Amino acid sequence: MNISLSRLEVMKHLEKDIQEALDEFLTPIDKIWQPADLLPDASSENFFEEVKLLQDSARELSYDLVAVLIGDTITEEALPTYESWLAGVEHVSQDYNGPWSRWVRAWTAEENRHGDVLNRYLYLSGRVDMRKMEISTQYLIADGFDIGTGKDPYRNFIYTSFQETATNISHRRVSQFAKKEGDLLMAKLCGHVAADEARHAKAYKSFVARILEVDPNEMLLAFEDMMRKKIVMPAHFLREMGLKIGQTFGHFTDAAQRLGVYTATDYTDILRDLVTEWKIDQLTGLDDAGERARDYLMALPDRLNRVAERMKTPTLEYKFSWINA
């Protein structure tokens, strides 16, 4: 992908904003929660009693909710793919102490806790065939993903703005459903993860907003391109042992749609909110291509909403190899 010189200049200009984002949107390591703060302590004399209570609550969770939690956990565990992808963005300083390198490392460090805490919960729950889940995780990391951004920073920031928002919604809804089904610990874990994702989404959305101030045409064209391609989820290659790339992902999204954890309407709502937050309708100085991109983006939420309204909730049940019972 050819990146214009303006991108080089804009990304250099953005370094100050990325530096400030480290303090504004990330939490100091010695102050942020850790998985050990939330899960039973194996050194405690009450450990086995606490694990039994955890398993009693987990036993009551609906099949679809457990499936969605496992899929979300595998997605979080594929962090090496996401770190290498962000580290490979072009035309940002690769200096070890530069703001972009520091952001990628610090963002990764916060995200790393998500897979850890959810994985440990699932292990303790007794409801999961951990080996089969671990195989799916290894497959997802080995298979990687193809999300249509290339190494273009503009497309990457559009993707992360959308995806971190979607991840926040998914974890927040799982937390709400877990609370309704009586598993307060799981609700707490997912609530903590969701709060992190909300902060991360704000950071990436702020990067896009800053670029729109200095290079609105090119950013709008990148936004249009990503929406024409459609924002795919990072786990879209998800598979179980013995299946081909992506064969499990559709069943995972069906379960999320049935529950209302993440739906086609949510996808449309995220797009509408981004268009509003970035004040796409108020941008000035656009060329013809930029105006066409704006027209497309302004009209797209209503088009997608009409499609979403015609979609039927998936009813086909699928037995995941990950779940014991």
Side-chain angles (χ1 to χ4, degrees), residues 168-227:
N168 163 259
I169 291 172
S170 180
H171 286 299
R172 179 160 42 85
R173 296 258 178 82
V174 169
S175 174
Q176 292 166 350
F177 282 112
K179 186 176 182 179
K180 287 180 181 178
E181 295 185 17
D183 193 331
L184 300 184
L185 176 58
M186 178 178 159
K188 185 176 183 179
L189 303 183
C190 292
H192 277 58
V193 173
D196 282 358
E197 303 292 9
R199 285 187 291 103
H200 299 166
K202 288 179 181 178
Y204 289 112
K205 287 189 285 187
S206 75
F207 298 162
V208 173
R210 190 72 184 95
I211 295 172
L212 282 168
E213 293 175 4
V214 295
D215 194 13
N217 273 297
E218 286 297 311
M219 180 50 92
L220 273 187
L221 292 175
F223 192 4
E224 177 194 23
D225 179 61
M226 289 305 299
M227 297 316 301

Short mmCIF file of all heavy atoms in Angstrom, two decimals, residues 168-227:
data_model
loop_
_atom_site.label_atom_id
_atom_site.label_comp_id
_atom_site.label_asym_id
_atom_site.label_seq_id
_atom_site.Cartn_x
_atom_site.Cartn_y
_atom_site.Cartn_z
N ASN A 168 -15.57 -3.78 24.28
CA ASN A 168 -16.16 -3.25 25.51
C ASN A 168 -17.62 -3.69 25.63
O ASN A 168 -18.06 -4.15 26.70
CB ASN A 168 -16.08 -1.72 25.51
CG ASN A 168 -17.02 -1.09 26.54
OD1 ASN A 168 -18.09 -0.62 26.19
ND2 ASN A 168 -16.63 -1.12 27.79
N ILE A 169 -18.37 -3.58 24.54
CA ILE A 169 -19.78 -3.98 24.56
C ILE A 169 -19.92 -5.46 24.89
O ILE A 169 -20.73 -5.86 25.74
CB ILE A 169 -20.45 -3.67 23.20
CG1 ILE A 169 -20.57 -2.16 23.00
CG2 ILE A 169 -21.82 -4.35 23.10
CD1 ILE A 169 -21.02 -1.76 21.61
N SER A 170 -19.11 -6.29 24.25
CA SER A 170 -19.21 -7.73 24.45
C SER A 170 -18.92 -8.12 25.90
O SER A 170 -19.69 -8.84 26.54
CB SER A 170 -18.24 -8.46 23.51
OG SER A 170 -18.33 -9.86 23.69
N HIS A 171 -17.82 -7.63 26.45
CA HIS A 171 -17.48 -7.98 27.83
C HIS A 171 -18.49 -7.39 28.82
O HIS A 171 -18.85 -8.04 29.81
CB HIS A 171 -16.08 -7.47 28.17
CG HIS A 171 -14.98 -8.27 27.54
ND1 HIS A 171 -14.79 -9.62 27.81
CD2 HIS A 171 -14.00 -7.92 26.67
CE1 HIS A 171 -13.74 -10.06 27.13
NE2 HIS A 171 -13.25 -9.05 26.43
N ARG A 172 -18.97 -6.19 28.55
CA ARG A 172 -19.95 -5.57 29.45
C ARG A 172 -21.25 -6.36 29.45
O ARG A 172 -21.87 -6.58 30.51
CB ARG A 172 -20.18 -4.13 29.01
CG ARG A 172 -21.20 -3.37 29.84
CD ARG A 172 -21.03 -1.86 29.70
NE ARG A 172 -20.79 -1.45 28.32
CZ ARG A 172 -21.75 -1.22 27.42
NH1 ARG A 172 -23.02 -1.41 27.76
NH2 ARG A 172 -21.46 -0.81 26.20
N ARG A 173 -21.68 -6.80 28.28
CA ARG A 173 -22.93 -7.58 28.20
C ARG A 173 -22.76 -8.96 28.86
O ARG A 173 -23.67 -9.44 29.54
CB ARG A 173 -23.34 -7.74 26.74
CG ARG A 173 -23.67 -6.42 26.06
CD ARG A 173 -25.17 -6.20 25.92
NE ARG A 173 -25.46 -4.92 25.31
CZ ARG A 173 -25.45 -4.70 23.99
NH1 ARG A 173 -25.15 -5.69 23.15
NH2 ARG A 173 -25.74 -3.50 23.51
N VAL A 174 -21.61 -9.60 28.64
CA VAL A 174 -21.38 -10.88 29.31
C VAL A 174 -21.44 -10.69 30.82
O VAL A 174 -22.01 -11.51 31.55
CB VAL A 174 -20.02 -11.49 28.88
CG1 VAL A 174 -19.66 -12.68 29.77
CG2 VAL A 174 -20.07 -11.94 27.43
N SER A 175 -20.86 -9.59 31.31
CA SER A 175 -20.92 -9.28 32.74
C SER A 175 -22.36 -9.15 33.21
O SER A 175 -22.74 -9.70 34.25
CB SER A 175 -20.15 -7.98 33.01
OG SER A 175 -20.29 -7.58 34.36
N GLN A 176 -23.18 -8.46 32.44
CA GLN A 176 -24.58 -8.26 32.82
C GLN A 176 -25.35 -9.58 32.85
O GLN A 176 -26.13 -9.84 33.78
CB GLN A 176 -25.24 -7.28 31.85
CG GLN A 176 -24.71 -5.85 31.96
CD GLN A 176 -25.12 -4.96 30.80
OE1 GLN A 176 -25.67 -5.44 29.79
NE2 GLN A 176 -24.85 -3.67 30.91
N PHE A 177 -25.12 -10.42 31.84
CA PHE A 177 -25.81 -11.71 31.80
C PHE A 177 -25.33 -12.63 32.91
O PHE A 177 -26.13 -13.37 33.50
CB PHE A 177 -25.62 -12.38 30.44
CG PHE A 177 -26.50 -11.80 29.35
CD1 PHE A 177 -25.95 -11.09 28.30
CD2 PHE A 177 -27.87 -11.97 29.40
CE1 PHE A 177 -26.75 -10.55 27.31
CE2 PHE A 177 -28.69 -11.43 28.41
CZ PHE A 177 -28.13 -10.72 27.36
N ALA A 178 -24.03 -12.60 33.21
CA ALA A 178 -23.50 -13.42 34.30
C ALA A 178 -24.13 -13.03 35.63
O ALA A 178 -24.48 -13.88 36.45
CB ALA A 178 -21.98 -13.28 34.37
N LYS A 179 -24.30 -11.72 35.83
CA LYS A 179 -24.93 -11.25 37.07
C LYS A 179 -26.37 -11.74 37.16
O LYS A 179 -26.81 -12.20 38.23
CB LYS A 179 -24.88 -9.73 37.12
CG LYS A 179 -25.39 -9.13 38.42
CD LYS A 179 -25.21 -7.63 38.44
CE LYS A 179 -25.68 -7.03 39.77
NZ LYS A 179 -25.49 -5.56 39.79
N LYS A 180 -27.10 -11.68 36.05
CA LYS A 180 -28.48 -12.15 36.03
C LYS A 180 -28.56 -13.64 36.32
O LYS A 180 -29.52 -14.12 36.94
CB LYS A 180 -29.13 -11.86 34.68
CG LYS A 180 -29.44 -10.39 34.44
CD LYS A 180 -30.09 -10.19 33.08
CE LYS A 180 -30.39 -8.73 32.81
NZ LYS A 180 -30.99 -8.52 31.46
N GLU A 181 -27.55 -14.39 35.87
CA GLU A 181 -27.55 -15.84 36.06
C GLU A 181 -26.90 -16.25 37.38
O GLU A 181 -26.71 -17.44 37.63
CB GLU A 181 -26.88 -16.53 34.87
CG GLU A 181 -27.65 -16.33 33.57
CD GLU A 181 -27.07 -17.09 32.39
OE1 GLU A 181 -26.27 -18.02 32.61
OE2 GLU A 181 -27.41 -16.75 31.24
N GLY A 182 -26.53 -15.28 38.21
CA GLY A 182 -26.08 -15.57 39.56
C GLY A 182 -24.60 -15.74 39.75
O GLY A 182 -24.16 -16.08 40.86
N ASP A 183 -23.79 -15.51 38.72
CA ASP A 183 -22.34 -15.66 38.86
C ASP A 183 -21.73 -14.26 39.03
O ASP A 183 -21.32 -13.62 38.07
CB ASP A 183 -21.74 -16.37 37.64
CG ASP A 183 -20.31 -16.82 37.88
OD1 ASP A 183 -19.60 -16.16 38.67
OD2 ASP A 183 -19.89 -17.82 37.27
N LEU A 184 -21.65 -13.82 40.27
CA LEU A 184 -21.18 -12.46 40.55
C LEU A 184 -19.69 -12.31 40.30
O LEU A 184 -19.23 -11.22 39.95
CB LEU A 184 -21.52 -12.09 42.00
CG LEU A 184 -23.01 -12.10 42.35
CD1 LEU A 184 -23.22 -11.61 43.79
CD2 LEU A 184 -23.82 -11.24 41.38
N LEU A 185 -18.92 -13.40 40.49
CA LEU A 185 -17.49 -13.31 40.24
C LEU A 185 -17.21 -13.11 38.75
O LEU A 185 -16.44 -12.22 38.37
CB LEU A 185 -16.77 -14.57 40.74
CG LEU A 185 -15.26 -14.62 40.43
CD1 LEU A 185 -14.53 -13.43 41.02
CD2 LEU A 185 -14.66 -15.93 40.92
N MET A 186 -17.84 -13.92 37.92
CA MET A 186 -17.65 -13.76 36.49
C MET A 186 -18.10 -12.37 36.04
O MET A 186 -17.46 -11.73 35.20
CB MET A 186 -18.43 -14.82 35.73
CG MET A 186 -18.32 -14.70 34.21
SD MET A 186 -19.23 -16.05 33.43
CE MET A 186 -19.51 -15.37 31.81
N ALA A 187 -19.20 -11.90 36.60
CA ALA A 187 -19.68 -10.56 36.27
C ALA A 187 -18.62 -9.51 36.62
O ALA A 187 -18.39 -8.56 35.85
CB ALA A 187 -20.98 -10.27 37.01
N LYS A 188 -17.99 -9.68 37.75
CA LYS A 188 -16.96 -8.73 38.19
C LYS A 188 -15.76 -8.76 37.27
O LYS A 188 -15.23 -7.72 36.87
CB LYS A 188 -16.55 -9.06 39.63
CG LYS A 188 -15.58 -8.06 40.24
CD LYS A 188 -15.30 -8.41 41.69
CE LYS A 188 -14.38 -7.39 42.35
NZ LYS A 188 -14.12 -7.71 43.77
N LEU A 189 -15.30 -9.96 36.91
CA LEU A 189 -14.14 -10.09 36.02
C LEU A 189 -14.39 -9.40 34.69
O LEU A 189 -13.57 -8.61 34.22
CB LEU A 189 -13.81 -11.57 35.77
CG LEU A 189 -13.54 -12.49 36.96
CD1 LEU A 189 -13.15 -13.88 36.47
CD2 LEU A 189 -12.47 -11.92 37.86
N CYS A 190 -15.52 -9.72 34.07
CA CYS A 190 -15.82 -9.16 32.75
C CYS A 190 -16.07 -7.66 32.83
O CYS A 190 -15.76 -6.92 31.89
CB CYS A 190 -17.03 -9.87 32.14
SG CYS A 190 -16.69 -11.60 31.71
N GLY A 191 -16.60 -7.20 33.96
CA GLY A 191 -16.79 -5.77 34.14
C GLY A 191 -15.47 -5.03 34.19
O GLY A 191 -15.32 -3.94 33.61
N HIS A 192 -14.48 -5.61 34.85
CA HIS A 192 -13.15 -5.00 34.91
C HIS A 192 -12.52 -4.96 33.52
O HIS A 192 -11.92 -3.95 33.12
CB HIS A 192 -12.25 -5.80 35.87
CG HIS A 192 -12.42 -5.42 37.31
ND1 HIS A 192 -13.62 -5.50 37.96
CD2 HIS A 192 -11.52 -4.96 38.22
CE1 HIS A 192 -13.46 -5.11 39.23
NE2 HIS A 192 -12.19 -4.78 39.41
N VAL A 193 -12.64 -6.05 32.78
CA VAL A 193 -12.08 -6.09 31.42
C VAL A 193 -12.76 -5.06 30.53
O VAL A 193 -12.11 -4.32 29.78
CB VAL A 193 -12.22 -7.51 30.83
CG1 VAL A 193 -11.80 -7.51 29.35
CG2 VAL A 193 -11.37 -8.51 31.61
N ALA A 194 -14.09 -4.97 30.63
CA ALA A 194 -14.84 -4.02 29.82
C ALA A 194 -14.39 -2.58 30.08
O ALA A 194 -14.29 -1.77 29.15
CB ALA A 194 -16.34 -4.17 30.09
N ALA A 195 -14.13 -2.26 31.33
CA ALA A 195 -13.70 -0.90 31.67
C ALA A 195 -12.35 -0.58 31.03
O ALA A 195 -12.15 0.54 30.53
CB ALA A 195 -13.61 -0.75 33.20
N ASP A 196 -11.45 -1.54 31.00
CA ASP A 196 -10.17 -1.33 30.31
C ASP A 196 -10.39 -1.06 28.83
O ASP A 196 -9.80 -0.15 28.24
CB ASP A 196 -9.27 -2.57 30.45
CG ASP A 196 -8.60 -2.68 31.81
OD1 ASP A 196 -8.78 -1.78 32.65
OD2 ASP A 196 -7.90 -3.69 32.03
N GLU A 197 -11.25 -1.87 28.22
CA GLU A 197 -11.48 -1.73 26.78
C GLU A 197 -12.11 -0.37 26.45
O GLU A 197 -11.83 0.21 25.40
CB GLU A 197 -12.40 -2.86 26.28
CG GLU A 197 -11.90 -4.28 26.55
CD GLU A 197 -10.66 -4.66 25.75
OE1 GLU A 197 -10.06 -3.78 25.11
OE2 GLU A 197 -10.30 -5.84 25.79
N ALA A 198 -12.93 0.14 27.34
CA ALA A 198 -13.54 1.46 27.13
C ALA A 198 -12.47 2.54 27.09
O ALA A 198 -12.52 3.45 26.25
CB ALA A 198 -14.57 1.75 28.22
N ARG A 199 -11.51 2.46 28.00
CA ARG A 199 -10.41 3.43 28.00
C ARG A 199 -9.58 3.34 26.72
O ARG A 199 -9.20 4.35 26.12
CB ARG A 199 -9.51 3.23 29.21
CG ARG A 199 -10.10 3.71 30.52
CD ARG A 199 -9.09 3.65 31.67
NE ARG A 199 -8.76 2.29 32.06
CZ ARG A 199 -7.64 1.65 31.75
NH1 ARG A 199 -6.72 2.24 31.00
NH2 ARG A 199 -7.42 0.42 32.17
N HIS A 200 -9.30 2.12 26.31
CA HIS A 200 -8.49 1.93 25.10
C HIS A 200 -9.22 2.47 23.86
O HIS A 200 -8.60 3.07 22.98
CB HIS A 200 -8.16 0.45 24.92
CG HIS A 200 -7.37 -0.12 26.05
ND1 HIS A 200 -7.20 -1.48 26.25
CD2 HIS A 200 -6.68 0.48 27.07
CE1 HIS A 200 -6.45 -1.67 27.33
NE2 HIS A 200 -6.14 -0.51 27.83
N ALA A 201 -10.54 2.24 23.81
CA ALA A 201 -11.32 2.76 22.69
C ALA A 201 -11.24 4.28 22.64
O ALA A 201 -11.09 4.88 21.57
CB ALA A 201 -12.78 2.30 22.80
N LYS A 202 -11.33 4.92 23.79
CA LYS A 202 -11.25 6.38 23.83
C LYS A 202 -9.91 6.87 23.28
O LYS A 202 -9.85 7.91 22.60
CB LYS A 202 -11.44 6.87 25.27
CG LYS A 202 -12.86 6.75 25.79
CD LYS A 202 -12.97 7.25 27.22
CE LYS A 202 -14.38 7.12 27.75
NZ LYS A 202 -14.49 7.56 29.17
N ALA A 203 -8.85 6.14 23.59
CA ALA A 203 -7.52 6.55 23.10
C ALA A 203 -7.47 6.52 21.58
O ALA A 203 -7.08 7.51 20.94
CB ALA A 203 -6.45 5.63 23.69
N TYR A 204 -7.86 5.40 20.99
CA TYR A 204 -7.78 5.29 19.53
C TYR A 204 -8.73 6.26 18.84
O TYR A 204 -8.41 6.83 17.79
CB TYR A 204 -8.03 3.85 19.10
CG TYR A 204 -6.90 2.92 19.47
CD1 TYR A 204 -7.06 1.93 20.43
CD2 TYR A 204 -5.65 3.05 18.87
CE1 TYR A 204 -6.01 1.09 20.78
CE2 TYR A 204 -4.60 2.22 19.21
CZ TYR A 204 -4.78 1.24 20.18
OH TYR A 204 -3.74 0.43 20.52
N LYS A 205 -9.90 6.48 19.43
CA LYS A 205 -10.83 7.45 18.85
C LYS A 205 -10.24 8.86 18.91
O LYS A 205 -10.47 9.68 18.00
CB LYS A 205 -12.18 7.39 19.56
CG LYS A 205 -12.98 6.14 19.22
CD LYS A 205 -14.40 6.18 19.76
CE LYS A 205 -14.45 5.94 21.24
NZ LYS A 205 -15.86 5.82 21.71
N SER A 206 -9.48 9.14 19.96
CA SER A 206 -8.85 10.46 20.05
C SER A 206 -7.77 10.62 18.99
O SER A 206 -7.56 11.73 18.47
CB SER A 206 -8.25 10.67 21.45
OG SER A 206 -7.06 9.95 21.64
N PHE A 207 -7.07 9.54 18.63
CA PHE A 207 -6.06 9.62 17.57
C PHE A 207 -6.73 9.97 16.23
O PHE A 207 -6.23 10.80 15.47
CB PHE A 207 -5.31 8.30 17.42
CG PHE A 207 -4.53 7.87 18.65
CD1 PHE A 207 -4.13 6.54 18.80
CD2 PHE A 207 -4.20 8.77 19.65
CE1 PHE A 207 -3.41 6.14 19.92
CE2 PHE A 207 -3.49 8.38 20.77
CZ PHE A 207 -3.10 7.04 20.91
N VAL A 208 -7.86 9.30 15.96
CA VAL A 208 -8.58 9.59 14.71
C VAL A 208 -9.07 11.04 14.69
O VAL A 208 -8.94 11.74 13.68
CB VAL A 208 -9.77 8.62 14.53
CG1 VAL A 208 -10.62 9.03 13.32
CG2 VAL A 208 -9.28 7.19 14.35
N ALA A 209 -9.62 11.48 15.81
CA ALA A 209 -10.13 12.86 15.88
C ALA A 209 -9.02 13.86 15.59
O ALA A 209 -9.23 14.86 14.89
CB ALA A 209 -10.74 13.12 17.25
N ARG A 210 -7.83 13.59 16.10
CA ARG A 210 -6.70 14.51 15.88
C ARG A 210 -6.29 14.51 14.41
O ARG A 210 -5.99 15.57 13.84
CB ARG A 210 -5.52 14.09 16.76
CG ARG A 210 -4.40 15.09 16.78
CD ARG A 210 -4.80 16.32 17.57
NE ARG A 210 -3.74 17.33 17.51
CZ ARG A 210 -3.71 18.33 16.64
NH1 ARG A 210 -4.70 18.47 15.75
NH2 ARG A 210 -2.74 19.20 16.66
N ILE A 211 -6.28 13.33 13.78
CA ILE A 211 -5.90 13.26 12.37
C ILE A 211 -6.94 13.96 11.50
O ILE A 211 -6.60 14.63 10.51
CB ILE A 211 -5.71 11.79 11.93
CG1 ILE A 211 -4.52 11.17 12.67
CG2 ILE A 211 -5.47 11.70 10.42
CD1 ILE A 211 -4.37 9.68 12.46
N LEU A 212 -8.21 13.84 11.85
CA LEU A 212 -9.26 14.51 11.08
C LEU A 212 -9.09 16.03 11.08
O LEU A 212 -9.52 16.71 10.15
CB LEU A 212 -10.64 14.15 11.64
CG LEU A 212 -11.19 12.78 11.25
CD1 LEU A 212 -12.41 12.43 12.09
CD2 LEU A 212 -11.52 12.71 9.76
N GLU A 213 -8.44 16.56 12.10
CA GLU A 213 -8.20 18.00 12.16
C GLU A 213 -7.16 18.45 11.13
O GLU A 213 -7.23 19.57 10.63
CB GLU A 213 -7.73 18.40 13.55
CG GLU A 213 -8.78 18.23 14.64
CD GLU A 213 -8.22 18.53 16.02
OE1 GLU A 213 -7.04 18.96 16.10
OE2 GLU A 213 -8.94 18.36 17.02
N VAL A 214 -6.19 17.55 10.84
CA VAL A 214 -5.07 17.98 9.99
C VAL A 214 -5.06 17.32 8.62
O VAL A 214 -4.43 17.81 7.69
CB VAL A 214 -3.72 17.73 10.71
CG1 VAL A 214 -3.62 18.60 11.95
CG2 VAL A 214 -3.55 16.25 11.08
N ASP A 215 -5.75 16.18 8.48
CA ASP A 215 -5.77 15.48 7.19
C ASP A 215 -7.12 14.82 6.97
O ASP A 215 -7.23 13.60 6.85
CB ASP A 215 -4.64 14.43 7.17
CG ASP A 215 -4.36 13.90 5.76
OD1 ASP A 215 -4.84 14.51 4.77
OD2 ASP A 215 -3.65 12.88 5.64
N PRO A 216 -8.20 15.62 6.92
CA PRO A 216 -9.55 15.05 6.89
C PRO A 216 -9.85 14.22 5.65
O PRO A 216 -10.53 13.19 5.75
CB PRO A 216 -10.45 16.28 6.97
CG PRO A 216 -9.61 17.41 6.48
CD PRO A 216 -8.22 17.09 6.93
N ASN A 217 -9.36 14.64 4.48
CA ASN A 217 -9.66 13.89 3.27
C ASN A 217 -9.14 12.47 3.34
O ASN A 217 -9.87 11.51 3.09
CB ASN A 217 -9.06 14.61 2.04
CG ASN A 217 -9.98 15.66 1.47
OD1 ASN A 217 -11.07 15.36 1.00
ND2 ASN A 217 -9.55 16.91 1.52
N GLU A 218 -7.87 12.33 3.65
CA GLU A 218 -7.26 11.00 3.65
C GLU A 218 -7.86 10.12 4.75
O GLU A 218 -8.05 8.92 4.57
CB GLU A 218 -5.75 11.12 3.82
CG GLU A 218 -5.02 11.60 2.58
CD GLU A 218 -5.17 10.62 1.42
OE1 GLU A 218 -4.94 9.41 1.63
OE2 GLU A 218 -5.55 11.05 0.32
N MET A 219 -8.15 10.70 5.91
CA MET A 219 -8.75 9.91 6.98
C MET A 219 -10.16 9.46 6.61
O MET A 219 -10.56 8.33 6.88
CB MET A 219 -8.75 10.68 8.29
CG MET A 219 -9.35 9.91 9.47
SD MET A 219 -8.67 8.22 9.67
CE MET A 219 -7.34 8.56 10.82
N LEU A 220 -10.93 10.35 5.96
CA LEU A 220 -12.27 9.96 5.53
C LEU A 220 -12.21 8.84 4.50
O LEU A 220 -13.03 7.91 4.53
CB LEU A 220 -13.01 11.16 4.94
CG LEU A 220 -13.79 12.06 5.89
CD1 LEU A 220 -14.58 13.09 5.11
CD2 LEU A 220 -14.72 11.24 6.78
N LEU A 221 -11.25 8.91 3.59
CA LEU A 221 -11.12 7.85 2.58
C LEU A 221 -10.75 6.52 3.24
O LEU A 221 -11.22 5.45 2.84
CB LEU A 221 -10.08 8.24 1.54
CG LEU A 221 -10.47 9.42 0.62
CD1 LEU A 221 -9.30 9.80 -0.29
CD2 LEU A 221 -11.69 9.07 -0.21
N ALA A 222 -9.90 6.59 4.28
CA ALA A 222 -9.54 5.37 5.01
C ALA A 222 -10.76 4.82 5.75
O ALA A 222 -11.00 3.60 5.77
CB ALA A 222 -8.42 5.68 5.99
N PHE A 223 -11.54 5.71 6.34
CA PHE A 223 -12.76 5.31 7.06
C PHE A 223 -13.74 4.65 6.09
O PHE A 223 -14.29 3.57 6.36
CB PHE A 223 -13.37 6.56 7.70
CG PHE A 223 -14.45 6.31 8.71
CD1 PHE A 223 -14.83 5.02 9.10
CD2 PHE A 223 -15.12 7.39 9.29
CE1 PHE A 223 -15.84 4.82 10.04
CE2 PHE A 223 -16.13 7.20 10.22
CZ PHE A 223 -16.49 5.93 10.60
N GLU A 224 -13.95 5.28 4.96
CA GLU A 224 -14.85 4.72 3.95
C GLU A 224 -14.38 3.34 3.50
O GLU A 224 -15.17 2.39 3.41
CB GLU A 224 -14.92 5.66 2.74
CG GLU A 224 -15.78 5.10 1.60
CD GLU A 224 -15.58 5.85 0.30
OE1 GLU A 224 -14.52 6.48 0.12
OE2 GLU A 224 -16.48 5.76 -0.57
N ASP A 225 -13.10 3.22 3.24
CA ASP A 225 -12.54 1.95 2.77
C ASP A 225 -12.76 0.84 3.79
O ASP A 225 -13.17 -0.27 3.43
CB ASP A 225 -11.05 2.11 2.49
CG ASP A 225 -10.41 0.82 2.02
OD1 ASP A 225 -10.82 0.30 0.97
OD2 ASP A 225 -9.49 0.32 2.70
N MET A 226 -12.51 1.13 5.07
CA MET A 226 -12.68 0.11 6.10
C MET A 226 -14.15 -0.30 6.23
O MET A 226 -14.45 -1.48 6.44
CB MET A 226 -12.16 0.63 7.44
CG MET A 226 -10.64 0.75 7.52
SD MET A 226 -9.77 -0.79 7.13
CE MET A 226 -10.39 -1.87 8.41
N MET A 227 -15.07 0.64 6.08
CA MET A 227 -16.47 0.29 6.21
C MET A 227 -17.00 -0.45 4.98
O MET A 227 -17.90 -1.28 5.08
CB MET A 227 -17.31 1.53 6.48
CG MET A 227 -16.99 2.25 7.80
SD MET A 227 -16.78 1.15 9.23
CE MET A 227 -18.36 0.32 9.29
#
